[in-house]
Amino acid sequence: MKFKKTAIALAVGSLLALTACGGNDAPGDSGTADTPTTLAGLYEAAKSEGELQICGPTENLYAAVYEDFAKTYPGIKITTADIFGQELDARLEGEQVAGGFAADLVHIGVSDVERYADKEYLAAYKPAEADALDGKFRGHDDLWSVPSRHLYATAYNANKLSAADLPTKWADLADSKWNGRIGVANPKQSGATPQVFSAALESRAIDEGWIDKLKKETNPAIYPSVATALQSVVSGERDLSLVAGYGTYMRQLKQGAPLGFATMEDGAYYSDVAYAALDGSKHPNAARLLVGWMFTAEGQASVAKHVFEFGTMPGAPLPEGAEKLGKSTEIDYPGAEKYRKTLDLLGSKF
């Protein structure tokens, strides 16, 4: 497991590297009736805890966000671990059996958080700062909350295509004119791509026949990940990446990549990025403080600025360039059961 330390922290030694998402220490207090409910109260309690540990797939990208948090709430050392998938699953399972989680928060997509809730890994927390939050961004029993969403849509090579060349609806993507020109991350592997397909199926932007047609008419090139599919477009190997993240696109664009980004009018997928507190965490007040801050105006602006995600609070600022995307119907994650069915369907097709 590889760790990223933000500017908040001092140098992290090898012992912490072994325990930031792993270890057998006894669990801490997961919350009592005396738990502070305001950010000021949480900060006073968090200062005595002195640190916070977060696990997730994009924590390296959040370093600047956590630096903004530290400017308001200094004195809390944040250590992050870029870990996800089977590695994170195995570690959390092992820690639970061994007597307690070493990390305080998981920061990951809702499809994974749902599984951790089913395994009873999570502790409930409803930040007061999120009172105005739409209920769809709260987990059942307040086991998680979603301060931001990541947009997934189509990226294209701007040296090979213009905006006028692009498909505008999902049906257009399955046209034979795109034969050999589309790259896509492995649809059978859990992640953003099958989530997008699942949301599009639920909204009826596509159906099973569309999937068959896409495969037959376009013969899409399959890549190991969303990132490698996008890289095939940057290099000119493919013209379109069927599923690309807006944040990744913007970072590539700022580095001079010849890219454009487009959403389908009948369905743009927004992936919920949730925080969930691990039950028995050693630094529960620091964890609650960070989650609450994410729903403040400062936190919402920080995620838009640094990671190009879309805040969930009413009136949250848009990330750079988002105003140019035009209007599309938003499609959302349809839930664990329907997602599993989509994975089974895609496994049979690809």
Side-chain angles (χ1 to χ4, degrees):
M1 175 173 58
K2 182 179 179 181
F3 289 91
K4 308 284 186 181
K5 179 178 72 62
T6 73
I8 304 167
L10 299 174
V12 180
S14 59
L15 178 62
L16 183 58
L18 291 173
T19 62
C21 256
N24 300 323
D25 294 341
D29 179 16
S30 61
T32 68
D34 298 326
T35 298
T37 57
T38 66
L39 292 183
L42 286 168
Y43 182 42
E44 288 305 310
K47 283 191 289 187
S48 65
E49 295 170 352
E51 63 181 294
L52 171 63
Q53 299 175 10
I54 310 170
C55 294
T58 59
E59 296 316 290
N60 59 324
L61 301 178
Y62 266 71
V65 175
Y66 298 148
E67 287 171 9
D68 284 349
F69 168 80
K71 293 172 185 175
T72 302
Y73 299 107
I76 300 170
K77 181 172 65 176
I78 295 183
T79 303
T80 64
D82 291 330
I83 180 173
F84 59 95
Q86 293 181 350
E87 185 181 4
L88 179 56
D89 289 352
R91 190 169 297 276
L92 292 177
E93 183 176 354
E95 288 177 2
Q96 187 191 47
V97 172
F101 301 112
D104 303 291
L105 291 170
V106 288
H107 180 212
I108 202 164
V110 167
S111 62
D112 289 299
V113 175
E114 284 178 328
R115 293 189 296 105
Y116 299 151
D118 289 342
K119 293 176 181 289
E120 300 184 349
Y121 289 175
L122 307 181
Y125 177 57
K126 182 179 181 180
E129 295 70 29
D131 281 347
L133 188 67
D134 190 310
K136 71 179 183 179
F137 299 125
R138 302 183 190 278
H140 66 80
D141 299 323
D142 293 318
L143 289 175
W144 67 85
S145 53
V146 178
S148 63
R149 300 186 294 167
H150 198 64
L151 170 61
Y152 286 95
T154 298
Y156 61 94
N157 187 300
N159 289 338
K160 302 176 73 175
L161 295 172
S162 70
D165 299 322
L166 298 176
T168 59
K169 295 186 177 181
W170 279 88
D172 302 332
L173 281 165
D175 193 282
S176 60
K177 69 178 286 186
W178 300 109
N179 192 332
R181 302 169 70 184
I182 294 176
V184 64
N186 188 347
K188 299 189 294 184
Q189 181 174 308
S190 183
T193 296
Q195 286 180 30
V196 171
F197 277 64
S198 185
L201 284 164
E202 176 66 12
S203 70
R204 299 185 179 179
I206 64 173
D207 56 20
E208 184 175 347
W210 180 92
I211 297 173
D212 292 332
K213 186 177 180 182
L214 177 77
K215 184 178 179 183
K216 178 181 178 182
E217 298 293 339
T218 73
N219 189 29
I222 307 299
Y223 292 89
S225 67
V226 170
T228 52
L230 180 60
Q231 191 57 45
S232 75
V233 175
V234 173
S235 68
E237 181 181 1
R238 304 293 166 189
D239 294 356
L240 290 176
S241 177
L242 184 62
V243 175
Y246 185 71
T248 306
Y249 153 75
M250 284 297 296
R251 286 185 286 275
Q252 290 267 15
L253 189 67
K254 288 180 175 294
Q255 294 172 10
L259 288 175
F261 194 86
T263 57
M264 299 300 105
E265 294 174 0
D266 53 347
Y269 176 65
Y270 287 81
S271 172
D272 293 351
V273 186
Y275 280 97
L278 290 165
D279 193 24
S281 124
K282 299 178 183 63
H283 315 106
N285 293 297
R288 296 184 183 108
L289 177 65
L290 175 66
V291 174
W293 175 82
M294 295 298 300
F295 290 99
T296 66
E298 182 184 7
Q300 294 282 283
S302 186
V303 295
K305 177 181 178 180
H306 297 303
V307 290
F308 306 103
E309 288 181 355
F310 294 72
T312 55
M313 289 294 285
L318 292 174
E320 181 183 348
E323 68 282 354
K324 300 176 183 178
L325 294 176
K327 293 185 178 180
S328 295
T329 300
E330 294 186 10
I331 56 176
D332 302 316
Y333 177 70
E337 182 178 353
K338 291 177 181 178
Y339 178 54
R340 285 192 293 267
K341 289 181 179 178
T342 300
L343 280 172
D344 290 341
L345 174 64
L346 294 173
S348 70
K349 300 293 183 181
F350 292 89

